[in-house]
């Protein structure tokens, strides 16, 4: 994921500055990680429908948004298992709903509880995807989270639980876009 270089709240900037921030982050990501970002981290999850036009212009294809935005637009909870298209003035952008229950579970609940959330949405065909996209603050910056996540082993336990769950498969946003159509 790319985004604005200094993690700006996009709605507070003129379009030219947003495009400059995204270009700076894309350049940094190419230089330091050797990849071209296809998606955007939406700072503080602030979304405006008119973002579509300049985000598409920036070359990015998708972002994750809180499922709240989708529910407020009338999408039922059980439909939030894929990605959606949105459009502005002929430009198309893809939106992945990030699940609130996963945001509150990771890294605070026992790893098996998180796996149980994932299993509640599983289908035989494996055609459903639940999205967890969150900033890294709760992985060490928030009070007591460093101890919980690293010293007490939450992250290690969670990753081992994922590895040991043959019925749960992880994927990336880009892989989803190449494998499935929009919801």
């Amino acid at each position: 994921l790319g985004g604005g270089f200094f993690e700006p709240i996009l709605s507070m900037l003129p379009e030219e500055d947003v495009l400059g921030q995204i270009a700076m982050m894309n350049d940094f990501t190419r230089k330091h990680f050797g990849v071209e970002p296809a998606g955007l981290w939406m700072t503080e999850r602030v979304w405006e429908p008119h973002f579509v036009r300049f985000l598409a212009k920036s070359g990015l294809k998708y972002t994750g948004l809180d499922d709240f935005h989708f529910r407020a637009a009338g999408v039922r909870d059980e439909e939030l298992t894929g990605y959606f298209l949105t459009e502005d003035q002929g430009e198309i952008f893809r939106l992945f709903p990030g699940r609130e229950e996963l945001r509150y579970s990771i890294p605070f609940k026992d790893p098996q509880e998180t796996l149980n959330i994932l299993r509640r949405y599983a289908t035989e065909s494996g055609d459903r995807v639940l999205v967890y996209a969150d900033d890294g603050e709760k992985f060490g910056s928030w009070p007591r989270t460093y101890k919980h996540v690293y010293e007490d082993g939450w992250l290690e336990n969670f990753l081992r639980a994922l590895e040991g769950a043959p019925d749960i498969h992880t994927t990336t946003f880009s892989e989803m876009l190449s494998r499935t159509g929009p919801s």
Side-chain angles (χ1 to χ4, degrees), residues 92-169:
I92 302 291
F93 204 69
R94 291 139 197 94
L95 304 174
F96 285 87
R99 300 301 292 226
E100 179 180 59
E101 57 195 321
L102 292 176
R103 282 193 312 278
Y104 287 110
S105 179
I106 299 170
F108 304 112
K109 293 187 178 177
D110 181 80
Q112 286 303 322
E113 287 186 55
T114 301
L115 297 186
N116 290 339
I117 292 169
L118 297 172
R119 287 184 176 112
R120 281 201 319 263
Y121 293 92
T123 61
E124 198 65 34
S125 63
D127 61 344
R128 291 182 169 177
V129 173
L130 297 185
V131 172
Y132 173 76
D134 213 345
D135 44 22
E137 295 160 344
K138 60 174 82 169
F139 288 88
S141 294
W142 287 1
R144 296 176 295 285
T145 56
Y146 183 88
K147 180 179 183 324
H148 169 68
V149 170
Y150 303 105
E151 293 174 3
D152 295 345
W154 184 91
L155 183 59
E156 181 73 25
N157 293 335
F158 180 67
L159 294 174
R160 286 191 192 285
L162 271 178
E163 286 177 336
D167 56 331
I168 297 173
H169 305 280

Side-chain angles (χ1 to χ4, degrees), residues 19 22 26 36-39 54-62 93:
L19 291 172
I22 291 170
N26 288 352
E36 182 72 32
F54 57 80
L55 292 176
K57 192 185 298 184
S58 76
L60 298 174
K61 297 176 183 159
Y62 61 84
F93 204 69

Side-chain angles (χ1 to χ4, degrees), residues 30-113:
R30 274 191 301 274
K31 179 181 177 184
H32 294 281
F33 300 106
V35 295
E36 182 72 32
L40 169 92
W41 170 251
M42 187 61 57
T43 306
E44 299 302 329
R45 301 183 194 93
V46 175
W47 173 256
E48 296 288 340
H50 71 275
F51 289 176
V52 171
R53 190 180 70 259
F54 57 80
L55 292 176
K57 192 185 298 184
S58 76
L60 298 174
K61 297 176 183 159
Y62 61 84
T63 192
L65 292 178
D66 285 359
D67 52 3
F68 168 81
H69 294 285
F70 297 86
R71 289 195 309 269
V75 180
R76 294 186 325 264
D77 202 46
E78 60 272 9
E79 296 174 302
L80 299 175
T81 58
Y83 69 93
F84 295 80
L85 298 180
T86 187
E87 178 270 342
D88 183 47
Q89 300 181 38
E91 297 291 347
I92 302 291
F93 204 69
R94 291 139 197 94
L95 304 174
F96 285 87
R99 300 301 292 226
E100 179 180 59
E101 57 195 321
L102 292 176
R103 282 193 312 278
Y104 287 110
S105 179
I106 299 170
F108 304 112
K109 293 187 178 177
D110 181 80
Q112 286 303 322
E113 287 186 55

